[in-house]
Amino acid sequence: MTQDLEMAARHGPGSGADGAHYYPQPPRNGAGGEELDDDGRKKRTGTVWTASAHIITAVIGSGVLSLAWSTAQLGWVVGPLTLMIFAFITYYTSSLLADCYRSGDQLTGKRNYTYMDAVAAYLGRWQVLSCGVFQYVNLVGTAVGYTITASISAAAVHKANCFHKKGHAADCSSYDTMYMVVFGIVQIFFSQLPNFSDLSWLSIVAAIMSFSYSTIAVGLSLARTISGRTGKSTLTGTEIGVDVDSAQKVWLALQALGNIAFAYSYSMILIEIQDTVKSPPAENKTMKKATLMGVTTTTAFYMLAGCLGYSAFGNAAPGNIMTGFGFYEPYWLIDFANVCIVVHLVGAYQVFSQPIFAALETAAAKRWPNAKFVTREHPLVAGRFNVNMLRLAWRTVFVVVSTVLAIVMPFFNDILGFLGAIGFWPLTVYYPVEMYIRQRRIQKYTTKWVALQLLSFLCFLVSLASAVASIEGVTESLKHYVPFKTKS
């Protein structure tokens, strides 16, 4: 894998090992009779709809649950405006990134199978190394964040039933650790699905689940708003001297920006999603349509969830709108919503983890091509399912490690804010902008170059400030938390 990346970096976009231009071969049949794509791999069958399902599955995750709280920190003016700004930036930079799937011609150029392959083709080896750090730290962190969120939602089902039976004042707190362990066990089984192509059905189910619980959250918030049982809301959000002190206001507002950034983050897997799309039409055209559909859909939900949630609860909006128990009844609907969250996150966890799995397994196959532990597939269930020993061992270890990290630091808003902060600028803005500049050969200090660099710099400042605020929040939370002993 490293050699391939270095080759791309040395010879540039659309070139082969000898520096000659790359011309893909026409589709042909493989040994098993299946039709192959221009790169000799199994024919891709993805469409706008399947790509949109992957995007919605990846985007509408735990981030949507924190939007009412985030809006409460920013207020009626800055909150909705921030959501729209992040939506525009995400769509714009994702469109730039979609053009980087192929180097050179968008229909016949050399494919870049991963985000890092694209960075290598356009920006070179050293940029690949820095990109790898940002991408894989963010992907691992997302797996940890989704484990936290799924366990909180699973525990909320128990709490909702408890509150319904014993009253809202009852002590219904519980340990989240058991739920994290169960979620981890489930992920060990699903992680044995070999690749993204095998996840289409899981992504579609997860996307349906995300629509379900987002709609429930919006509906309950609307019902509470109409009933008049709303909290106090203001143009500037939480009030200094009433809800928070001046220092807390700054920290929480910056953390809210990180939460919103996390809610829109999926750029680090955009290329991997695009690699499932069939051609013709050119993959970048399909992906841009899918991105527009996905970002537009999620932004509509986000505006409703954030604004109606803030309207319902005011400045006292809970950090997680479905598990903070601003809503108690109807308890069965709360239960259903939280079950939908868990099911959705089972799929989303896999969507974000597959690039990590593929990176190590691809590198191992190239390093030890004759090792049976690495390459041999063992058929099970009448040949319908294969088990590979490397895949079994490596993916199990990954799930166990991410579960342990979630158990040690189960802080919902702080972790989401930090993940959003460290992933937003480099992966959503910096690399797509730099690759676009290189691809289009935009000259330094021209109007367009200055505008793109200004966008990147401003996003860098936002990410840096949000990361610092989230670290401060985690530090404060750790002072009061003891793993396996503290209830929530």
Side-chain angles (χ1 to χ4, degrees):
M1 180 177 181
T2 302
Q3 291 176 342
D4 292 343
L5 298 182
E6 290 179 351
M7 183 189 303
R10 285 197 302 269
H11 299 293
S15 302
D18 57 356
H21 288 290
Y22 172 85
Y23 296 97
Q25 299 298 316
R28 54 194 183 278
N29 291 334
E34 75 275 10
E35 190 177 1
L36 303 180
D37 260 328
D38 54 23
D39 58 347
R41 296 193 176 188
K42 184 179 178 180
K43 189 77 174 177
R44 295 160 178 84
T45 58
T47 64
V48 170
W49 293 104
T50 61
S52 298
H54 282 311
I55 292 171
I56 293 171
T57 300
V59 178
I60 302 184
S62 53
V64 70
L65 304 173
S66 69
L67 292 180
W69 178 87
S70 298
T71 306
Q73 310 313 310
L74 301 172
W76 279 119
V77 177
V78 179
L81 181 61
T82 300
L83 284 169
M84 294 301 297
I85 290 174
F86 273 89
F88 172 76
I89 292 173
T90 300
Y91 171 71
Y92 177 70
T93 58
S94 294
S95 296
L96 302 184
L97 186 58
D99 287 335
C100 298
Y101 172 67
R102 286 185 184 267
S103 300
D105 187 272
Q106 291 299 324
L107 189 61
T108 61
K110 180 180 179 297
R111 296 174 186 265
N112 297 307
Y113 300 114
T114 67
Y115 193 111
M116 289 177 65
D117 287 347
V119 173
Y122 287 100
L123 301 180
R125 182 168 180 257
W126 293 109
Q127 293 276 38
V128 172
L129 296 177
S130 62
C131 174
V133 172
F134 284 117
Q135 184 181 14
Y136 289 111
V137 166
N138 196 267
L139 289 171
V140 172
T142 300
V144 174
Y146 282 177
T147 302
I148 294 170
T149 309
S151 67
I152 292 174
S153 294
V157 174
H158 160 75
K159 293 179 183 178
N161 294 333
C162 174
F163 285 131
H164 178 71
K165 293 178 181 179
K166 300 180 180 179
H168 299 172
D171 179 13
C172 293
S173 58
S174 64
Y175 297 108
D176 295 333
T177 303
M178 177 185 69
Y179 298 103
M180 293 183 190
V181 171
V182 173
F183 184 79
I185 292 172
V186 171
Q187 291 300 342
I188 288 174
F189 285 98
F190 276 108
S191 68
Q192 297 309 307
L193 294 173
N195 52 50
F196 256 131
S197 297
D198 296 314
L199 287 175
S200 294
W201 66 272
L202 186 58
S203 285
I204 292 172
V205 170
I208 293 172
M209 294 296 101
S210 68
F211 272 118
S212 298
Y213 71 73
S214 297
T215 302
I216 291 171
V218 169
L220 290 174
S221 297
L222 178 62
R224 186 183 177 101
T225 300
I226 293 174
S227 71
R229 297 181 292 109
T230 59
K232 179 184 177 182
S233 60
T234 61
L235 290 178
T236 57
T238 51
E239 296 180 289
I240 298 174
V242 178
D243 304 302
V244 293
D245 59 37
S246 56
Q248 288 176 322
K249 176 67 176 179
V250 174
W251 290 125
L252 293 176
L254 292 174
Q255 191 177 313
L257 293 179
N259 276 237
I260 294 174
F262 178 82
Y264 278 106
S265 63
Y266 82 99
S267 296
M268 76 284 289
I269 59 170
L270 184 146
I271 296 293
E272 284 83 351
I273 293 175
Q274 193 167 345
D275 192 44
T276 68
V277 173
K278 65 182 179 181
S279 178
E283 296 89 352
N284 66 325
K285 293 182 178 179
T286 300
M287 199 63 194
K288 287 178 182 180
K289 291 179 181 178
T291 296
L292 179 61
M293 187 181 300
V295 172
T296 300
T297 302
T298 54
T299 300
F301 272 110
Y302 284 1
M303 292 294 288
L304 289 171
C307 294
L308 285 176
Y310 183 42
S311 174
F313 298 104
N315 295 337
N320 183 326
I321 197 168
M322 291 309 304
T323 63
F325 285 95
F327 303 121
Y328 289 93
E329 300 292 342
Y331 78 97
W332 57 268
L333 189 59
I334 306 298
D335 287 352
F336 177 72
N338 280 298
V339 169
C340 287
I341 292 171
V342 174
V343 174
H344 171 247
L345 292 180
V346 167
Y349 182 104
Q350 288 300 316
V351 168
F352 278 91
S353 297
Q354 283 292 329
I356 305 175
F357 299 155
L360 185 140
E361 290 160 15
T362 301
K366 289 184 177 181
R367 178 66 178 83
W368 300 287
N370 299 319
K372 292 183 179 180
F373 180 83
V374 174
T375 60
R376 185 174 180 181
E377 297 285 343
H378 302 272
L380 295 177
V381 194
R384 296 181 180 179
F385 183 76
N386 293 328
V387 172
N388 172 272
M389 298 311 295
L390 172 64
R391 186 164 64 238
L392 178 63
W394 147 237
R395 298 188 181 192
T396 300
V397 169
F398 175 85
V399 173
V400 170
V401 171
S402 65
T403 302
V404 171
L405 289 175
I407 291 171
V408 173
M409 294 186 298
F411 313 123
F412 179 75
N413 293 106
D414 299 327
I415 297 298
L416 261 58
F418 181 71
L419 293 175
I422 65 172
F424 175 69
W425 172 71
L427 300 176
T428 302
V429 181
Y430 173 75
Y431 290 111
V433 164
E434 291 299 315
M435 286 190 284
Y436 177 78
I437 290 174
R438 184 69 59 87
Q439 181 189 57
R440 300 301 173 91
R441 295 182 174 86
I442 299 174
Q443 297 298 314
K444 285 186 177 181
Y445 310 117
T446 59
T447 302
K448 194 166 189 177
W449 184 89
V450 171
L452 288 169
Q453 295 296 345
L454 181 60
L455 170 65
S456 181
F457 179 70
L458 292 175
C459 290
F460 167 73
L461 293 180
V462 170
S463 288
L464 180 62
S466 298
V468 172
S470 296
I471 291 172
E472 192 275 340
V474 170
T475 302
E476 286 297 314
S477 298
L478 284 172
K479 293 178 181 179
H480 311 288
Y481 177 76
V482 179
F484 307 106
K485 294 183 180 180
T486 304
K487 291 184 176 182
S488 62

